[in-house]
Amino acid sequence: MDHLGTDEFTDLALGTGAGPSLRRHDHVDRCLECSRELGRLLEVVRAARDVSTEDLLTAPPDGVWRSIASELHLGAHLRPPAGSVRGRLYG
């Protein structure tokens, strides 16, 4: 039997859609390669679902930023735009 396709792995990991047939589920149970791939995808899904607002990045304190700017020779007057870290990562 062929290994599961990307869409089948996605459906299993996310728990969405009709998902693979019982025969395909049996394949995952018996196939080490597919079982490992599904395990990796499940870890990603769990990690993504566990993200909360407390995990959002914030700008470093002024002293940290001054040290970074100094080491990179950016000049003390330069600062990252307000919200730039959050804006890039969380839209």
Side-chain angles (χ1 to χ4, degrees):
M1 174 177 271
D2 292 334
H3 297 292
L4 269 68
T6 304
D7 290 341
E8 292 172 303
F9 276 122
T10 302
D11 285 344
L12 278 173
L14 294 174
T16 59
S21 67
L22 183 56
R23 186 173 176 211
R24 302 301 273 160
H25 277 279
D26 288 342
H27 172 80
V28 172
D29 290 341
R30 294 186 187 124
C31 176
L32 184 59
E33 184 179 337
C34 286
S35 179
R36 284 181 179 163
E37 180 65 15
L38 180 57
R40 287 189 291 264
L41 289 171
L42 287 169
E43 286 179 28
V44 170
V45 169
R46 273 195 286 299
R49 288 181 174 160
D50 286 345
V51 172
S52 72
T53 55
E54 294 173 4
D55 298 316
L56 298 176
L57 299 176
T58 59
D62 286 338
V64 172
W65 177 250
R66 280 193 299 274
S67 176
I68 292 169
S70 172
E71 189 167 325
L72 296 176
H73 307 290
L74 298 177
H77 65 284
L78 294 177
R79 295 240 345 124
S84 63
V85 174
R86 286 182 69 181
R88 277 198 310 272
L89 295 177
Y90 300 101

